[in-house]
Amino acid sequence: MAFTLRSVKVPPNSASLEEARSRVFDFFRQACRSIPTIMDIYNLDDVVTKSELRSSISSEIRKNSHVTNPKG
């Protein structure tokens, strides 16, 4: 199965903590919506559940919850 790599542009750092927070929530929503596709592509149904993947994503995000300076 061939997949096309889309051109992904990374925007510059967030200007404020609120903007960074909003971008994190947007990323989390997008990542969670991609879980079914990822599970299909990599045949993960027998290995992990969707809720376990969601938990993994949220735990990785929570590792950075202590950050108060979005530019640092």
Side-chain angles (χ1 to χ4, degrees):
M1 194 181 302
F3 295 99
T4 305
L5 180 62
R6 295 182 191 162
S7 175
V8 178
K9 294 183 180 178
V10 178
N13 290 342
S14 301
S16 68
L17 192 58
E18 285 303 315
E19 181 185 348
R21 182 178 168 91
S22 173
R23 288 175 59 187
V24 168
F25 283 127
D26 289 342
F27 168 77
F28 181 72
R29 274 189 228 103
Q30 186 178 9
C32 286
R33 288 180 184 148
S34 301
I35 287 174
T37 305
I38 292 167
M39 289 186 73
D40 288 342
I41 291 170
Y42 295 102
N43 297 321
L44 297 176
D45 293 317
D46 296 335
V47 179
V48 69
T49 65
K50 292 176 186 175
S51 63
E52 289 173 333
L53 285 176
R54 262 192 308 275
S55 267
S56 294
I57 294 168
S58 65
S59 69
E60 290 298 318
I61 289 172
R62 284 190 187 108
K63 285 182 182 178
N64 294 310
S65 64
H66 66 281
V67 175
T68 55
N69 181 1
K71 296 182 182 197

